[in-house]
Amino acid sequence: MRSDTGDLLQGTLGVMILKALVIGPAHGYAIARWVEQTTDDVLQIEEGSLYPALRRLEDRGWVRSEWGLSENNRRARFYTLTARGRAHLKTEAAVWLRYAGAVTRVLRAAPAIA
Amino acid sequence: MAALRRRGDPRAARRARDRLTPVRDDFGAPRWRRYLRFWGPDVDADVDDELQFHLDMRARELEARGLSSDDARRAAALRFGDAGRIGAELREHDHHRNRYLHRRDMLSDLWQDFRLAARGLQRTPGFAIVVIATLALCIGANSAIFSVVNAVLLRPLPFRDPGALVRVYQTYQGERSAFSGPNFVDLVKSTHTLASAAAFDNETFNVVGNGDPVRVQGALASASFFDVLGAQPAVGRTFNADENDPGKTHVVVLSHALWQQRFGSNRAAIGGSLDLDGTPYTIIGVMPASFDYPRGMSVWMPLVYDTSFTVASRGAVYLSAVARLAPGVSEQQAATEVAIIGKRLHDADLDHNAKMGITAVSMREAMVGNVRKPLVILLGAVVFVLLIACANIANLLLARSSTRHTEIAVRSALGAARGRLLRQLLTESVLLSLAGGALGLLLATWGVRLLVVLQPRGIPRLDTVSIDGAVMAWTALVAVATGIIFGIAPALQLSRGGDELAQSLRAGGRGMLPSMGGRQLRRTLIVSEIALALVLLTCAGLMMRSFVRLQSVDPGFQPDHRLALEIAIPDATYGTNEKVVAFYDDLLGRLAALPGARGVGAISMLPLTDNAWGFSFKVDGRPPVRLGDQQHFETRAVSPDLYRVLGIPVKRGRALLPTDRDGAPPVAVINEAAAHRYFPSEDPIGKRVVLGFRVRDTTHAAGTIVGIVGDVHGFGLDQDAPPEIDFPYAQLPLSNMAIVMRTDASAPALAAAAKRELNAIDPALPMADVRSLSGLVSDSISQPRFYMMLLGLFAAIALLLAAIGVAGMMSFAVAQRTREIGIRIALGANRGGVVRLVLHEAMRLAVIGVVIGGLVAVALSRAMASLLFGVGVRDPATFSVAAIVLAGVAFAATLLPARRAASVDPATALRTD
């Protein structure tokens, strides 16, 4: 992310990548574009952390990769969500949403910020 | 940043098309690495590709938004971040992961291969059993022999820093002899290369007290003896530096066994007294059970360094010497130095030190040097046997291959890589050989026990032979190597055919491969087998012939039905000539009266017992000979009946008589060797001989020669009889005599009775061991017998394997060519002609094998020269017999397949597809 990164955001990056792959297999660039488009360019994944993050996900067995042809016939590495990754995503997403919801409630509670 | 656009490279052209701008595509890894992908995933190139793809896509997106291609590219790179660092990080991660996956895959592949191989072998249990049994036998033999080689030759000697120990010998005419006290003392004074040295000698003693009287072997040694060897006592202490001085020498160190037997391992024994030959010695220490040098000693006592030892008796040689090299000194340097010292001593005293020298050899060489060659030859022989077995099994596998073509073709068509196939086939072979090796190790434990029981005399350290870690490691190594050796050729052949077979399968064939290449390989294997077998047969034949010659040497006496009882009487109780003579007169008289004794005699030293007792002499009427040029007689004291009892013929003159006693004229008898050597041109009878020693400081050994008797091979059947002179014991009373009894009754009964008589005369005398003379003779050739039996066994196994190999191969060849044979018969060839055809082919191979083997045997048998007796290394009779036997066996092995070929029914044969 363009703002400060931290452990929380590192985990967040992982969750977002997994969510991006729910649709189907995608290469690294497609994942980055999806996040940008879905958040209307609010979040732009720092590409330096994208690929290391993908590797970590693969090490944990949540994602697997294979080489294939991109839409313009170029050789690219495609990442796919595994069953274990899908399960992990479900739990993590629930946790994050509950957390985010709680923070939102705190920040929206009276009194309003001036 | 310059673009790396390769002219003419299609991939680069494609990339240039896709890229909107030429882009650098190295993130650290050079381009040529791409081409390594042939061997598997190329991690570095993949990382490059992935990152490059991302950058290009980003650049294209930015261009679509309106940036120029250059700006787009730059922006994409900026946005990405430090691509070089990230690339490096990814590469490291991927390499690591690759290695892990590769290892995991290999292991799981290997495991899968093993399971597949095991299942495959289960389907053909007969084949597996035959192969495993053969391998068990051959690998087991290998392990057994290696365990002997390991224990005797390879294991470190049981001393501190054994590499620095040397044995020093005084030599006589270049041959290893023994030191005299003064020479040893002078050596120690002059040497710089030897840090410390000790002399030692061994004798037998009667031990009395704390148990029955018993004879033991004891060593007399320099005070530094234990320090030189680096041996620590288990209890108490060893010698102090001054305990060689006269008056301080009555101390003794016990062996562990003696301490256990006579003192019940009681530490309070230290300080007590031990009676040796009537003299009390103070016990100062006990050695640990593992210390056994010299071999078989029960006690160690200090030598007495009186003037007789240090100065006077320069010509009396009887001492062994062991020394430790000074730090940094090599064995060579020490040997050179002691040789110089020896020369100096020789020149300084030509009378006593004539023809002497000094030499040093490493302790290891001294202990095991003389058995190294035969043991290595034995090891080579078992390796040959194993190679023959490998050839057989390889042939078997090749034959079996023809039934597996379909399986291999199918697997290849389904996509199995050739390397994978090869690995899987090799795994089968190694699985077989590992199973054979495990079983073989078990067989080896029994084999080793058997070898130790045979206990051939003269092979040192044989009692430490065991199946230890080194032997197990060797067995594992040999098993794996064997599996690869016999498996590689069939596996290569089978897997090579994989693609062709797959094609033929797809084309609708049955996946059969013409066996042209296989046939050549099988022929080569058979020829090699036969060559190896011939080498083994020849060497075994040479050993056997040599042993037979050795065994048929007439020892010079009759050993059958004779017992020997060795007696030693202590000086304390039998200190005068009269007492000694009276004792033996009494004993011989009583023993002669025993029922079952058909003759009783006495001799001071039995033949063939590694003992020597030689003295220089003077003959009356001859000019005095210079001290240095003097010759020697082996000297014995005998009873009058001895020649009759031992069956030694009297050639001339008379034997000794009971009247030849003290008071009568002193007489002597010499043997033929002495007569020829010392009296070549005159009649020895009537000449008076005086020997250079005295008994009990009173009686000179001297006498007039009255007879000549036949030679006895006292030093060994393979050596010439030494010149010998015998005196009647009544005139030369020696304390230690061996009683020889001839019997045709039961030997144990007579032995027991003899011991009872001995006890009756003097209960303080230890019960002597009884040995049979035929056992004595047999023991003296036990080492050559041992080698011969083992080599013979290996040659027999090799012959059997070669026969099986030839039979198997010819059967297979006949089966393969059934069609051709059927055609021949159908076209009118007679059955006899077919048989001749098959035999002709087999014998051609056999003859080639025999010729090659003969040439190799001629080259190798030279190594056996020192082991053979009476047989040349190129003995034509042995070579011919071996060749004929092998060819004959090959012939016989081919007969059955040949008959089967002759009985081929052409109709059935032609119908076979």
Side-chain angles (χ1 to χ4, degrees):
Chain A
M1 312 302 166
R2 257 204 276 129
S3 38
D4 334 75
T5 51
D7 285 341
L8 175 63
L9 293 175
Q10 205 181 57
T12 316
L13 175 60
V15 165
M16 291 205 292
I17 294 175
L18 291 178
K19 185 69 167 56
L21 293 176
V22 168
I23 306 169
H27 49 67
Y29 178 74
I31 294 172
R33 282 300 292 153
W34 184 84
V35 169
E36 289 159 21
Q37 282 161 351
T38 315
T39 62
D40 280 333
D41 272 347
V42 171
L43 289 181
Q44 287 180 351
I45 296 185
E46 183 179 316
E47 285 152 34
S49 6
L50 173 61
Y51 288 96
L54 282 166
R55 293 292 192 275
R56 276 193 295 274
L57 292 175
E58 200 176 2
D59 284 345
R60 311 277 283 265
W62 294 330
V63 145
R64 66 162 190 278
S65 71
E66 57 206 352
W67 285 90
L69 285 181
S70 70
E71 50 275 13
N72 50 347
N73 268 337
R74 281 195 59 174
R75 190 168 173 266
R77 196 177 218 141
F78 284 82
Y79 295 87
T80 320
L81 194 59
T82 65
R84 284 174 56 195
R86 198 176 290 267
H88 177 82
L89 172 61
K90 269 199 213 134
T91 8
E92 280 306 297
V95 164
W96 211 99
L97 287 171
R98 208 168 63 234
Y99 170 77
V103 170
T104 313
R105 274 203 300 280
V106 162
L107 292 176
R108 288 242 173 95
I113 306 163
Chain B
M1 298 198 279
L4 282 177
R5 201 208 299 257
R6 259 258 183 113
R7 226 194 308 272
D9 178 352
R11 297 185 62 182
R14 212 181 335 120
R15 194 174 288 117
R17 247 188 293 118
D18 289 334
R19 246 175 259 149
L20 302 182
T21 47
V23 177
R24 238 179 88 131
D25 66 353
D26 58 277
F27 295 102
R31 262 291 210 107
W32 57 265
R33 293 223 50 171
R34 268 155 225 283
Y35 297 101
L36 294 180
R37 222 177 256 141
F38 179 67
W39 275 279
D42 182 358
V43 165
D44 299 337
D46 283 352
V47 167
D48 288 350
D49 280 357
E50 188 172 10
L51 296 184
Q52 187 61 55
F53 174 79
H54 187 111
L55 282 170
D56 292 347
M57 295 294 276
R58 183 66 75 186
R60 187 205 291 211
E61 176 210 334
L62 291 174
E63 273 195 49
R65 292 208 191 156
L67 289 148
S68 75
S69 56
D70 270 337
D71 289 339
R73 199 171 42 79
R74 230 173 286 131
L78 259 173
R79 181 158 168 174
F80 194 89
D82 185 352
R85 182 186 59 82
I86 295 180
E89 192 183 311
L90 291 180
R91 266 199 292 280
E92 192 188 319
H93 172 275
D94 284 353
H95 272 304
H96 193 78
R97 186 142 190 278
N98 238 28
R99 271 195 294 272
Y100 163 74
L101 283 180
H102 188 66
R103 250 198 317 270
R104 205 188 60 183
D105 282 342
M106 264 208 336
L107 284 176
S108 89
D109 276 351
L110 205 61
W111 180 238
Q112 191 190 38
D113 283 346
F114 262 107
R115 280 181 39 213
L116 209 61
R119 266 218 309 269
L121 291 175
Q122 270 179 338
R123 259 182 272 130
T124 52
F127 163 79
I129 288 176
V130 163
V131 171
I132 293 179
T134 313
L135 286 171
L137 183 66
C138 297
I139 297 182
N142 253 291
S143 303
I145 299 295
F146 179 78
S147 64
V148 172
V149 168
N150 183 42
V152 174
L153 299 178
L154 296 179
R155 274 206 210 126
L157 298 176
F159 307 114
R160 177 175 63 89
D161 192 11
L165 284 176
V166 291
R167 288 275 266 114
V168 190
Y169 298 96
Q170 181 174 323
T171 63
Y172 181 76
Q173 288 183 317
E175 299 281 320
R176 287 186 203 169
S177 170
F179 267 103
S180 62
N183 281 347
F184 175 74
V185 167
D186 285 341
L187 171 73
V188 173
K189 271 198 289 222
S190 330
T191 181
H192 299 294
T193 57
L194 303 175
S196 55
F200 59 98
D201 182 26
N202 61 300
E203 289 183 16
T204 48
F205 298 91
N206 289 344
V207 172
V208 176
N210 298 94
D212 292 332
V214 74
R215 271 170 65 106
V216 298
Q217 297 267 67
L220 295 146
S222 309
S224 56
F225 178 75
F226 294 101
D227 291 334
V228 170
L229 294 174
Q232 298 293 329
V235 186
R237 65 173 178 89
T238 56
F239 306 137
N240 290 336
D242 64 348
E243 273 168 344
N244 286 127
D245 298 339
K248 303 206 180 116
T249 61
H250 282 193
V251 292
V252 65
V253 176
L254 305 181
S255 73
H256 199 90
L258 190 70
W259 182 50
Q260 244 176 359
Q261 287 157 12
R262 297 191 86 83
F263 297 93
S265 305
N266 184 0
R267 295 178 99 90
I270 310 289
S273 159
L274 187 68
D275 183 309
L276 291 165
D277 273 359
T279 315
Y281 284 76
T282 312
I283 301 172
I284 56 170
V286 180
M287 294 309 289
S290 57
F291 184 78
D292 189 25
Y293 193 80
R295 230 176 137 209
M297 296 297 122
S298 299
V299 290
W300 290 264
M301 287 156 295
L303 286 162
V304 183
Y305 278 23
D306 54 14
T307 43
S308 151
F309 182 89
T310 53
V311 177
S313 56
R314 197 173 284 273
V317 298
Y318 60 104
L319 290 167
S320 310
V322 63
R324 188 168 281 278
L325 295 172
V329 173
S330 75
E331 179 195 331
Q332 261 322 99
Q333 291 169 307
T336 316
E337 196 212 22
V338 298
I340 295 174
I341 296 178
K343 182 89 176 45
R344 206 173 344 120
L345 289 173
H346 167 271
D347 295 339
D349 189 345
L350 282 172
D351 287 336
H352 291 107
N353 281 342
K355 300 176 190 156
M356 82 154 265
I358 302 183
T359 180
V361 293
S362 73
M363 188 70 146
R364 174 178 288 280
E365 181 64 31
M367 280 179 82
V368 303
N370 61 327
V371 296
R372 181 179 295 122
K373 185 176 277 194
L375 284 182
V376 169
I377 289 178
L378 279 180
L379 193 61
V382 271
V383 168
F384 274 23
V385 171
L386 188 58
L387 287 177
I388 295 178
C390 284
N392 265 4
I393 297 174
N395 257 331
L396 201 58
L397 281 178
L398 283 171
R400 196 160 163 265
S401 297
S402 63
T403 63
R404 298 186 68 183
H405 282 159
T406 322
E407 172 202 341
I408 301 295
V410 167
R411 289 177 52 202
S412 180
L414 286 177
R418 191 191 158 196
R420 190 82 176 72
L421 275 175
L422 188 67
R423 213 170 59 210
Q424 200 264 314
L425 290 169
L426 270 182
T427 309
E428 280 180 17
S429 307
V430 172
L431 185 62
L432 278 173
S433 67
L434 282 177
L439 197 56
L441 198 61
L442 189 64
L443 289 180
T445 50
W446 296 330
V448 158
R449 251 178 258 161
L450 186 66
L451 285 180
V452 173
V453 158
L454 288 180
Q455 194 58 269
R457 209 182 66 172
I459 299 187
R461 306 174 81 190
L462 200 58
D463 45 348
T464 61
V465 169
S466 66
I467 307 282
D468 64 358
V471 177
M472 289 201 259
W474 166 269
T475 307
L477 192 69
V478 165
V480 170
T482 303
I484 294 178
I485 289 176
F486 71 71
I488 189 77
L492 274 176
Q493 196 206 38
L494 204 51
S495 64
R496 189 186 304 134
D499 284 333
E500 306 165 29
L501 293 174
Q503 300 223 1
S504 92
L505 252 194
R506 282 188 220 113
R510 277 181 45 217
M512 292 296 292
L513 193 68
S515 53
M516 224 22 245
R519 200 167 345 160
Q520 189 58 2
L521 182 60
R522 279 198 295 275
R523 286 214 190 103
T524 316
L525 286 172
I526 285 289
V527 167
S528 328
E529 234 182 271
I530 292 182
L532 285 172
L534 185 73
V535 173
L536 275 176
L537 274 175
T538 310
C539 291
L542 286 173
M543 282 297 285
M544 274 191 248
R545 203 141 184 241
S546 157
F547 181 74
V548 165
R549 287 263 166 89
L550 192 61
Q551 207 182 32
S552 60
V553 168
D554 179 7
F557 62 96
Q558 295 292 332
D560 299 322
H561 304 296
R562 270 103 173 150
L563 305 175
L565 205 74
E566 284 169 297
I567 315 270
I569 54 180
D571 284 338
T573 33
Y574 299 88
T576 67
N577 290 355
E578 290 75 24
K579 285 196 184 157
V580 174
V581 176
F583 169 82
Y584 282 110
D585 281 345
D586 187 8
L587 184 61
L588 286 172
R590 286 176 184 240
L591 292 180
L594 285 177
R598 273 187 57 193
V600 176
I603 184 170
S604 55
M605 201 168 279
L606 288 170
L608 298 173
T609 49
D610 280 340
N611 283 323
W613 215 52
F615 295 98
S616 55
F617 64 97
K618 271 194 312 226
V619 180
D620 275 358
R622 286 198 186 166
V625 182
R626 264 187 48 193
L627 273 178
D629 291 336
Q630 271 170 5
Q631 293 160 311
H632 302 86
F633 266 118
E634 278 300 302
T635 310
R636 306 278 183 269
V638 300
S639 70
D641 275 345
L642 182 77
Y643 302 123
R644 196 167 48 82
V645 171
L646 275 185
I648 299 175
V650 177
K651 299 282 178 160
R652 287 191 51 218
R654 69 168 178 87
L656 299 170
L657 298 171
T659 50
D660 297 317
R661 323 185 49 81
D662 195 31
V667 294
V669 165
I670 63 172
N671 67 357
E672 278 182 305
H676 287 148
R677 200 189 294 188
Y678 299 144
F679 302 91
S681 51
E682 52 184 348
D683 186 2
I685 297 189
K687 299 278 184 301
R688 186 166 170 270
V689 176
V690 181
L691 289 182
F693 86 99
R694 288 187 299 186
V695 174
R696 282 177 209 89
D697 290 331
T698 55
T699 321
H700 258 291
T704 312
I705 299 176
V706 294
I708 304 179
V709 293
D711 288 336
V712 167
H713 286 267
F715 290 157
L717 291 180
D718 55 341
Q719 303 192 31
D720 292 331
E724 192 177 304
I725 188 166
D726 301 333
F727 296 93
Y729 77 85
Q731 293 180 341
L732 188 71
L734 298 176
S735 302
N736 299 2
M737 302 284 278
I739 312 294
V740 180
M741 287 183 289
R742 184 176 169 187
T743 174
D744 40 40
S746 138
L750 188 60
K755 288 189 180 180
R756 276 198 299 275
E757 292 301 329
L758 181 65
N759 202 27
I761 300 181
D762 186 348
L765 286 179
M767 286 294 131
D769 278 335
V770 178
R771 329 155 71 151
S772 84
L773 287 189
S774 43
L776 199 72
V777 174
S778 169
D779 275 351
S780 73
I781 50 175
S782 62
Q783 218 187 112
R785 182 188 298 120
F786 179 73
Y787 299 136
M788 173 206 75
M789 285 191 350
L790 282 181
L791 262 187
L793 177 67
F794 299 150
I797 295 177
L799 196 60
L800 181 66
L801 286 175
I804 293 176
V806 168
M809 185 196 153
M810 293 319 295
S811 297
F812 182 71
V814 162
Q816 284 255 298
R817 298 166 66 182
T818 311
R819 215 161 162 223
E820 176 199 334
I821 296 172
I823 294 176
R824 281 181 189 251
I825 295 181
L827 288 180
N830 68 347
R831 309 269 169 178
V834 171
V835 169
R836 266 202 299 281
L837 182 72
V838 175
L839 283 174
H840 181 81
E841 167 145 356
M843 291 317 289
R844 222 187 71 226
L845 294 175
V847 164
I848 297 176
V850 162
V851 167
I852 296 178
L855 292 172
V856 173
V858 164
L860 289 183
S861 69
R862 250 186 324 161
M864 287 178 62
S866 58
L867 299 176
L868 297 178
F869 173 77
V871 175
V873 288
R874 304 240 177 96
D875 183 39
T878 312
F879 275 74
S880 327
V881 167
I884 291 174
V885 163
L886 191 53
V889 162
F891 184 84
T894 320
L895 277 180
L896 189 57
R899 276 229 305 269
R900 207 181 306 144
S903 57
V904 161
D905 175 19
T908 355
L910 289 169
R911 233 181 288 136
T912 315
D913 193 15

